[in-house]
């Protein structure tokens, strides 16, 4: 996979399906634009690690999903079940902080995405208490590792648990 780009946005989503259709209509075959709930992301490193693990899973034939975009959601959420992964990182109607993951894009889609959403990299400032709750992290874990390390470790453990 070439060029992985991660961009933050804010948006008012009236229809999840409508937003996904608009995003799908701007990309070309072989390109991926995956939208994630940025409130469930600890850092860009979190996403880079999850995306790399998803790509490696496909290369090894150990993917949990049939589609790389869905595999990215699974890996970045540290979950094996698609429904749980989308509960953590999926889109919902209303005001949202978004993380756009662009993979293999041979064109700069910033203008097109900025017509749909408001560019805002501040969405990557983690809400510690919210993330601890989302990922069910206990105090014992936090005594030995940082929040980012814990989430990245859980992503890595999906490979071991396979």
């Amino acid at each position: 996979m070439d060029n992985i780009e991660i961009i933050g946005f804010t948006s008012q989503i009236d229809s999840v399906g409508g937003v996904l259709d608009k995003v799908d209509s701007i990309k070309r075959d072989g390109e991926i634009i995956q939208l994630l709930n940025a409130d469930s992301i600890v850092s860009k490193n979190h996403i880079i690690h999850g995306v790399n693990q998803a790509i490696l899973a496909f290369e090894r034939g150990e993917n949990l999903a049939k589609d790389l975009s869905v595999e990215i959601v699974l890996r970045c959420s540290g979950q094996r079940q698609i429904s749980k992964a989308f509960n953590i990182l999926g889109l919902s109607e209303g005001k949202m902080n978004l993380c756009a993951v662009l993979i293999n894009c041979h064109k700069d889609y910033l203008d097109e995405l900025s017509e749909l959403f408001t560019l805002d990299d501040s969405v990557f400032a983690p809400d510690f208490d919210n993330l601890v709750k989302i990922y069910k992290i206990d105090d014992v874990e936090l005594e030995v590792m940082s929040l980012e390390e814990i989430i990245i470790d859980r992503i890595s453990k999906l490979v071991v648990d396979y």
Side-chain angles (χ1 to χ4, degrees), residues 63-104:
N63 44 301
L64 303 168
K66 294 177 184 173
D67 180 79
L68 182 56
S69 293
V70 176
E71 189 75 19
I72 288 168
V73 178
L74 285 168
R75 300 292 169 158
C76 289
S77 69
Q79 299 295 314
R80 301 182 72 71
Q81 291 183 354
I82 293 172
S83 61
K84 287 183 179 180
F86 277 98
N87 281 340
I88 292 172
L89 285 170
L91 304 187
S92 60
E93 293 178 356
K95 185 166 175 39
M96 279 201 79
N97 294 324
L98 300 173
C99 169
V101 181
L102 288 73
I103 303 171
N104 266 356

Side-chain angles (χ1 to χ4, degrees), residues 10 15 38 48 55 78 103 106 109 111 120 134 142 153-154:
T10 57
S15 163
I48 290 167
I55 292 167
I103 303 171
H106 302 290
Y109 289 112
D111 290 340
D120 186 354
I134 290 169
L142 288 168
D153 184 59
R154 288 185 181 182

Side-chain angles (χ1 to χ4, degrees), residues 29-47:
D29 285 344
E31 298 177 331
I32 294 173
I33 301 176
Q34 180 63 50
L35 299 176
L36 304 171
N37 179 350
D39 292 339
S40 299
I41 295 170
V42 70
S43 67
K44 287 186 179 182
N45 286 337
H46 166 187
I47 299 306

